[in-house]
Amino acid sequence: MAVTETSINDIDMGTTVWMIASTAFVFLMIPGLGYFYSGMVRSKNALSLVFLCMMSLAIVTVQWVLWGYSLAFSETATNPFIGNLKHWLFLDVSIKPHPNAPTVPGAVFAIYQCMFAALTPGLAIGGAAERIRVFPTIIYVFIWSTLVYDPIAYWVWAPNGWLAKLGVLDFAGGCAVETASGFAALAFYFVLGKRKGFGEEKWQPHNYLNIILGCSLLYFGWFGFNAGAASLTSGRAGIAFLTTSLAGAIAGLTWVALAFRIEHKYSSFHYCSGAVAGMVCVTPAASYVSVWAAVPMGMISGVCCYYAIEANLRLGIDDCIDVFAVHGIGGILGVFLTGVFANKSVIGLDGTQSDGGLINGNGRQLYIQLAALAVSAAWSFTISFIILKIMNYFPLLRLRVDPEAEDHGLDFTELGEAGYSFMHDVANLHNSTPDIGATSPGFHEETSLEHPHTRKAVFKESSPEMATAATTTASSTSPPSINMDVKSNSLPV
């Protein structure tokens, strides 16, 4: 396929400014993802997830400049599977536009795509939350981005990628971002196993405000994620904005309704999970479908992802932060439904030629979408599994923390820091009490799931006398400004 020649004379200031702003939007999704994840785990691991998401940004930025961008988007590579090294170290990446974005400088397009690449391994890391070491994770992110993300991105988006030439419709990352991260998270489960106590102890999110904050940042950033590369003058950027917002809203409401049937309570956590699932689903379709199509896509993703989580629990799969259920299943649904709802009149608003999807009578598009899903999911899972297995053969690169570190929490054992300042006071109290054996807060805590908002901290490994001693000491020695009642919700889980 001939690559379209681009010229600096075609650069449009409005489109360039919009893509730069969208880059900043997508950047905010990375700390947003960290906060979203941190609220869903126990407090002793909260900070580590925010840190790992930000480390993903740092590592992938280096990898992207070194060779990632060239491997994923090289316009001069002739093979259909991977790019060449023409742009390694960002050589020749400056003002000349890339064929995928002919009206913006190449450097702007490159950094915009860097945010996508940095976000994706951050999503996958959620599958190993509460049990993964930092240094091996840094190595893994670099290797995974090179061997998994870059090839899939090239297949789907590069001018000579084989799926692009086949005619796959994936506007903003249903294959390379959502499906790839979801199946990489599943590989984490099969290699690292379950968290200690999974199935025996019951855990709840420790900070619902973090979940809402993270969801809000993700929601905001998703407008740049889905609409950033769409044409402004043709109206496709506006359509992407609308479909993203509508799909998130419909899926969030659907999820809340499903949860209400069981819990008879309205849950902020369920709304946030549903909203994310809806936006995941509409990502590959955002600028390809009519606005009304976001309604069925939101409803279908809300129902399917909700029950995917239920299925994981029944099967005993420790999908800690529901990465596979939301991003893996949501990505699969999105890519497939794009083949159903893609509308050639919407795609053609900026002059792009397409036969649309099933609603335009183009049933062949469904087979192309399924082929893209199959190879993306299989490649991500297989290569992720192999990388993790090989790394586990080397003690320095072993990904899972030891059981004692897992008990203490990754914030203390891996970072030496606490996500909440008052936890230092709790830790000092535990250290000053003989035979308690806990050097960090939350070490011997268990949470009940009898009700979504009920938590009760207990000492699992200590004798009743030792737990009583700890409670007595807390009431007699704690500063007046700190509530140290170990049975209250003030002790984070």
Side-chain angles (χ1 to χ4, degrees), residues 21-38 49-50 52-54 56-57 112 114-123 172-173 177-178 181 210-211 213-228 244 275-283 327:
S22 296
T23 302
F25 286 7
V26 182
F27 163 81
L28 281 178
M29 294 179 74
I30 298 172
L33 180 68
Y35 273 99
F36 188 65
Y37 281 176
S38 73
L49 284 167
V50 181
L52 286 174
C53 286
M54 296 307 295
S56 175
L57 171 63
Y112 174 67
C114 179
M115 296 300 109
F116 285 67
L119 177 68
T120 306
L123 291 169
V177 178
E178 309 298 355
S181 63
N210 271 14
I211 294 174
L213 173 61
C215 178
S216 300
L217 291 171
L218 288 170
Y219 217 129
F220 179 80
W222 231 301
F223 293 127
F225 193 91
N226 283 354
T244 301
V276 169
M279 290 185 287
V280 166
C281 183
V282 83
T283 288
H327 294 274

Side-chain angles (χ1 to χ4, degrees), residues 1 80 153-169:
M1 182 175 70
Y154 182 85
W155 301 344
V156 175
W157 290 323
N160 287 322
W162 72 275
L163 286 174
K165 294 169 73 173
L166 193 62
V168 68
L169 295 176

Side-chain angles (χ1 to χ4, degrees), residues 50-140:
V50 181
F51 175 77
L52 286 174
C53 286
M54 296 307 295
M55 286 301 292
S56 175
L57 171 63
I59 298 303
V60 174
T61 299
V62 173
Q63 187 268 356
W64 197 247
V65 172
L66 182 61
W67 57 50
Y69 174 69
S70 192
L71 294 177
F73 284 98
S74 175
E75 72 277 20
T76 59
T78 56
N79 79 81
F81 300 108
I82 193 68
N84 56 30
L85 294 178
K86 176 187 177 182
H87 296 305
W88 81 289
L89 292 178
F90 266 34
L91 295 177
D92 295 326
V93 177
S94 57
I95 192 170
K96 184 180 180 181
H98 187 276
N100 286 26
T103 58
V104 301
V108 174
F109 175 75
I111 192 61
Y112 174 67
Q113 289 296 334
C114 179
M115 296 300 109
F116 285 67
L119 177 68
T120 306
L123 291 169
I125 288 169
E130 300 198 303
R131 58 196 188 278
I132 191 169
R133 296 170 59 211
V134 170
F135 176 72
T137 304
I138 292 172
I139 304 300
Y140 172 83

Side-chain angles (χ1 to χ4, degrees), residues 169 239 243 247 281-282 284-301 333-347 354-363 365-366 369:
L169 295 176
I239 290 173
T243 54
C281 183
V282 83
S287 187
Y288 291 152
V289 300
S290 300
V291 174
W292 64 264
V295 175
M297 293 185 78
M299 293 183 66
I300 292 169
S301 61
L333 290 170
V335 174
F336 178 77
L337 291 175
T338 299
V340 175
F341 295 116
N343 190 330
K344 63 182 180 181
S345 64
V346 174
I347 299 173
S354 173
D355 293 327
L358 188 62
I359 63 169
N360 295 131
N362 182 22
Q365 191 64 44
L366 291 178
Q369 300 299 106

